[in-house]
Amino acid sequence: MAKVVIDAGHGGTTDPGAVFEGRQEKDDNLRLALAVGQILENHGVDVVYTRTDDIYQRPIEKAQLANASGADFFVSLHRNSSPQANQYSGVETLVYDNSGEKAEMAEAINRELEGVGFQNLGVTERPGLIVLRRTQMPAVLVETGFINTESDNRLFDEKFNEIAQAIADGILAVAGNNPGVKLYRVQAGAFRNQEYAEDLLYQLLRADFPAYILREDNYYKVQVGAFRQLQNATRMEAALRRQGYSTFITT
């Protein structure tokens, strides 16, 4: 499975990012980065974070960290802003140039976020951004709605978990495409109704199981973990069954 750098844009007292009515972009970015990273880790992805708390890093430092990690992909998470409040709405993903795997990932992320309810503003080339120009791997910068647009903030807050899942799904659509690696997963349920799946997901998360939802074959599949070793999946399944869950192991 791939190694992915997740970058929470901005940070620290000197760089809060865009600010609207006391809401600071750096905080939204960090919260989302940690949530997306957790979902990716649950899928067996090796995740590297540029920051996990409120610190300032120069863009070149973020790029250097990513390059030193030997990562396969770089994903920077941001919120957009506009000159006037409620002027624009929607998601946009930036790339150095609109080609290759970075373009595929950008389009996949936008498509998934559109499914959550955002307007899809498309993929934009921004070759001047250091985190896109100086990274040595395919890199994208996601603008997850406008921080000074009330409807985007409401969507961000009310559907936060779905947004994190959507971004992770977009990343996995490209970064997870590695048929040479078999991963064992423990499935706890499959539903056509998304709400039923989310109910089980939250129940498992509250019990500290690394659960997530995989949308596949018109079902919302609630699964736990992604293990390279069958014995690790077997141990997880035993723990779930001790808690009363009906499970099976899948790949």
Side-chain angles (χ1 to χ4, degrees):
M1 187 64 74
K3 177 184 285 189
V4 178
V5 173
I6 299 295
D7 169 47
H10 307 285
T13 57
T14 60
D15 185 16
V19 178
F20 178 65
E21 296 182 348
R23 184 171 189 148
Q24 300 186 79
E25 180 189 353
K26 65 173 184 176
D27 298 327
D28 284 356
N29 295 340
L30 180 57
R31 181 182 172 212
L32 186 58
L34 295 176
V36 171
Q38 183 62 64
I39 295 170
L40 293 177
E41 288 175 351
N42 291 344
H43 279 75
V45 175
D46 186 359
V47 176
V48 176
Y49 299 92
T50 58
R51 67 181 180 100
T52 57
D53 52 18
D54 188 19
I55 63 171
Y56 171 71
Q57 300 158 301
R58 292 178 298 134
I60 188 61
E61 291 178 301
K62 295 172 182 283
Q64 290 171 343
L65 185 155
N67 293 340
S69 74
D72 301 293
F73 298 92
F74 178 92
V75 179
S76 186
L77 299 178
H78 289 252
R79 302 290 310 281
N80 218 332
S81 187
S82 55
Q84 299 177 20
N86 301 304
Q87 185 178 12
Y88 302 115
S89 176
V91 295
E92 177 184 28
T93 299
L94 312 181
V95 294
Y96 180 81
D97 61 64
N98 200 1
S99 65
E101 288 182 311
K102 59 185 176 294
E104 294 177 19
M105 183 174 289
E107 291 172 358
I109 291 171
N110 282 359
R111 185 169 58 250
E112 293 291 338
L113 287 171
E114 185 178 11
V116 174
F118 283 109
Q119 180 181 353
N120 186 349
L121 300 179
V123 177
T124 302
E125 294 184 344
R126 289 288 297 275
L129 294 179
I130 289 177
V131 294
L132 301 180
R133 177 164 53 91
R134 298 294 295 274
T135 42
Q136 297 172 353
M137 68 289 297
V140 301
L141 188 154
V142 185
E143 299 277 15
T144 316
F146 285 77
I147 198 169
N148 63 341
T149 295
E150 294 174 359
S151 60
D152 279 3
N153 283 340
R154 186 163 53 250
L155 186 61
F156 187 94
D157 293 335
E158 293 178 356
K159 294 192 174 183
F160 178 81
N161 290 329
E162 292 177 54
I163 289 167
Q165 183 72 53
I167 293 173
D169 286 346
I171 294 170
L172 288 167
V174 179
N177 186 20
N178 188 348
V181 177
K182 177 184 285 188
L183 295 174
Y184 298 95
R185 311 169 192 273
V186 183
Q187 185 158 308
F191 308 89
R192 290 195 180 275
N193 186 307
Q194 184 176 355
E195 292 184 3
Y196 295 160
E198 289 177 348
D199 287 344
L200 178 56
L201 171 68
Y202 298 145
Q203 182 180 339
L204 289 165
L205 291 174
R206 284 195 296 269
D208 293 328
F209 288 108
Y212 54 89
I213 294 176
L214 178 67
R215 294 198 291 272
E216 186 178 66
D217 301 329
N218 295 319
Y219 281 91
Y220 294 91
K221 299 180 178 180
V222 183
Q223 299 183 344
V224 180
F227 306 96
R228 294 177 185 270
Q229 301 297 323
L230 177 58
Q231 62 185 8
N232 294 333
T234 301
R235 280 197 290 267
M236 176 61 74
E237 183 180 38
L240 285 162
R241 290 191 172 184
R242 283 195 297 269
Q243 297 293 323
Y245 295 101
S246 177
T247 63
F248 68 89
I249 295 176
T250 184
T251 59

